[in-house]
Amino acid sequence: MQAHQEPVFRFAYLFLGDPDDAEDITQETFLRAYHSLKRFDPTRPLRPWLLSIAANLARNRHRSVARYLAALTRSFRADPSESLDVEQHTAQEQDTGQLWKAVRQLPADDQQIIYLRFFLDLSTAEAAQALDVAEGTVKSRLNRAVGRLRAVIKKDFPTLSEGYES
């Protein structure tokens, strides 16, 4: 657990943006892994398997948070400016840098592949194992996600691309 706790936490934190939620996901990941040890293939690496569990849990948490924010937004419909202030305040607390903000604008699947491949520095093979997909699928998803990220950066964060455009 000690050898894999940090990457699992970092992945959950990058995906969810909240350290408390990430800690919950990390704990739940190891609990689920422990209870599922009989299904683990010991010939495969442990880290991608743990990250796949964390990915599923984080995706579920992300969905529940999105439902909560939608309900919160509906409750503030009488005063839309107040609703926007709450959402902006939450986003400002969670986001620590422009690049991270840009990644967070992407769909959840795009965020996940970028976090695994670039933030956690997993190889294509490890990312494929973590997501339980073929390596070619990782490559194509990553290519599309990076393209979408470039578009977000160009549109909303042009200072990030200064000096890199040809």
Side-chain angles (χ1 to χ4, degrees):
M1 184 177 136
Q2 289 177 346
H4 299 286
Q5 185 173 2
E6 184 180 340
V8 170
F9 175 83
R10 286 177 51 211
F11 174 72
Y13 178 74
L14 289 168
F15 192 75
L16 298 170
D18 181 87
D20 294 330
D21 286 345
E23 185 63 36
D24 290 347
I25 295 298
T26 301
Q27 290 175 9
E28 183 66 23
T29 296
F30 286 102
L31 283 172
R32 292 216 180 165
Y34 177 77
H35 291 294
S36 302
L37 275 175
K38 291 179 182 177
R39 293 189 307 225
F40 175 65
D41 178 2
T43 63
R44 300 180 81 181
L46 182 62
R47 186 165 104 167
W49 183 63
L50 291 171
L51 290 173
S52 70
I53 295 169
N56 290 331
L57 292 169
R59 192 173 19 253
N60 291 342
R61 176 75 54 101
H62 186 71
R63 283 187 201 121
S64 68
V65 168
R67 285 190 298 269
Y68 170 75
L69 286 176
L72 184 63
T73 300
R74 284 191 303 274
S75 72
F76 284 109
R77 281 211 173 128
D79 186 1
S81 64
E82 190 175 336
S83 174
L84 288 175
D85 290 342
V86 170
E87 290 174 21
Q88 288 171 348
H89 180 69
T90 300
Q92 288 171 353
E93 287 181 358
Q94 292 179 352
D95 296 338
T96 59
Q98 286 188 339
L99 179 59
W100 196 56
K101 288 178 187 179
V103 172
R104 300 277 296 165
Q105 290 187 14
L106 297 174
D109 289 342
D110 289 349
Q111 290 180 40
Q112 195 173 54
I113 195 74
I114 287 173
Y115 294 150
L116 288 171
R117 190 67 182 90
F118 297 117
F119 285 61
L120 294 176
D121 201 27
L122 264 61
S123 68
T124 303
E126 290 172 324
Q129 288 177 345
L131 296 172
D132 196 27
V133 297
E135 286 185 46
T137 303
V138 168
K139 290 177 184 178
S140 63
R141 285 183 187 175
L142 187 60
N143 187 41
R144 284 192 300 269
V146 168
R148 289 182 189 119
L149 180 59
R150 283 186 181 126
V152 168
I153 288 171
K154 185 175 182 178
K155 179 180 176 253
D156 297 331
F157 303 93
T159 58
L160 284 177
S161 62
E162 288 177 3
Y164 292 100
E165 295 180 5
S166 41

